[in-house]
Amino acid sequence: MKIIMLGAPGAGKGTQAKKIAEKYAIPHISTGDIFRANIKEGTELGKKAKAYMDKGELVPDELVCDLVVDRISQADAKNGYVLDGFPRTIPQAEALDAALEKINEKVDFAIDVDVPDDNIINRMSGRRACVSCGGTYHVEFNPTKVEGVCDACGGKLILRDDDQPETVKNRLEVYHAQTQPLIAYYTEKNILKTVDGTQDMAKVFTDIVGILEV
Ligand code: ADP
Ligand code: AMP
């Protein structure tokens, strides 16, 4: 099962992708997490990506596409995967399709987690991320047992630099200009499924499972 998560930054793609990955025992591949891990390790890729991420801009396609094509060709991805945060542009979607076509495969579902911009600002300002494992929480909607401490690994929680309100506004603009056109792209391919992302997390997941198990 090859699944793509679409939706604005903060729509809940990562939250749902994690649950999908657990339920169907497939890897959750988040390009944002890959970049953040590279930044933490101080790699060349991390240095290049950080400059774009801090401004709320997209990392150039040429730094993203090969990385994902390489990742999905690893052994743990042979039964499928859930891609979170990729593709984010039409050229990225085309690069993915071209890579899959070469091995006679295709994406099965593109799930759009639909949340209006007004809700997004609130979601992002309350999001807290673990500096150690990347786990994501929300101060109101998904709080940790102990404030500021990751439930999963005990790591410290932070507000991501790119979740500051000014950067979020830019990320939303970038989303509408560069990523939203993917909705038409996957509608055309007859694999787009939309879920109402304003519902609580459990209900959003139930709706997604309903889509995947028809
Ligand atoms: P994305 O991966 O799309 O950027 P996240 O999954 O990180 O988004 O979710 C953004 C924030 O909103 C997180 O703090 C998360 O805990 C919270 N969140 C996710 N889904 C919901 C939901 N259905 N209702 C309320 N808050 C949510
Ligand atoms: P995310 O964790 O998915 O919200 O991604 C955080 C940031 O990483 C984005 O704002 C972009 O700067 C960068 N990024 C992640 N995935 C991609 C992608 N597929 N293409 C370009 N930039 C990306």
Side-chain angles (χ1 to χ4, degrees):
M1 190 147 51
K2 295 180 207 68
I3 304 163
I4 287 172
M5 303 303 289
L6 294 176
K13 300 182 296 295
T15 302
Q16 298 300 329
K18 192 163 176 266
K19 286 165 164 289
I20 295 169
E22 275 163 17
K23 183 171 170 74
Y24 298 102
I26 52 176
H28 166 204
I29 302 175
S30 153
T31 40
D33 284 352
I34 294 174
F35 289 135
R36 281 184 289 276
N38 274 273
I39 292 172
K40 208 170 146 194
E41 287 160 23
T43 67
E44 269 315 301
L45 175 65
K47 281 178 201 154
K48 284 185 192 154
K50 188 175 187 329
Y52 297 95
M53 291 169 75
D54 284 351
K55 287 188 273 185
E57 286 168 12
L58 294 185
V59 175
D61 292 340
E62 57 270 26
L63 292 182
V64 189
C65 292
D66 290 352
L67 182 146
V68 174
V69 170
D70 181 61
R71 177 64 188 87
I72 60 176
S73 51
Q74 288 173 22
D76 67 335
K78 73 174 188 315
N79 292 328
Y81 38 82
V82 49
L83 286 178
D84 161 20
F86 181 95
R88 257 182 161 100
T89 64
I90 297 278
Q92 289 182 14
E94 289 171 346
L96 176 65
D97 282 346
L100 290 177
E101 213 169 288
K102 271 191 207 160
I103 49 171
N104 255 331
E105 290 185 357
K106 59 177 183 48
V107 175
D108 299 304
F109 299 97
I111 299 175
D112 178 33
V113 185
D114 187 29
V115 176
D117 287 9
D118 288 350
N119 304 40
I120 294 288
I121 309 280
N122 188 17
R123 290 257 181 109
M124 305 289 257
S125 59
R127 172 157 67 181
R128 296 293 179 270
C130 173
V131 288
S132 301
C133 74
T136 302
Y137 303 89
H138 192 283
V139 289
E140 188 184 340
F141 306 124
N142 183 23
T144 47
K145 293 190 188 81
V146 180
E147 202 188 316
V149 180
C150 177
D151 284 348
C153 77
K156 187 176 154 226
L157 299 187
I158 54 151
L159 176 68
R160 271 165 48 180
D161 286 345
D162 61 347
D163 280 350
Q164 306 288 346
E166 270 318 300
T167 314
V168 169
K169 276 190 203 140
N170 193 30
R171 291 173 71 194
L172 275 172
E173 277 170 27
V174 167
Y175 167 75
H176 290 299
Q178 301 193 52
T179 307
Q180 211 169 17
L182 293 176
I183 291 178
Y185 181 92
Y186 289 113
T187 302
E188 180 113 328
K189 294 194 179 291
N190 274 321
I191 56 166
L192 186 89
K193 306 284 173 190
T194 304
V195 290
D196 176 0
T198 64
Q199 308 173 96
D200 69 47
M201 294 173 201
K203 178 69 174 76
V204 178
F205 187 58
T206 306
D207 286 0
I208 292 176
V209 171
I211 288 166
L212 300 178
E213 295 187 359
V214 281

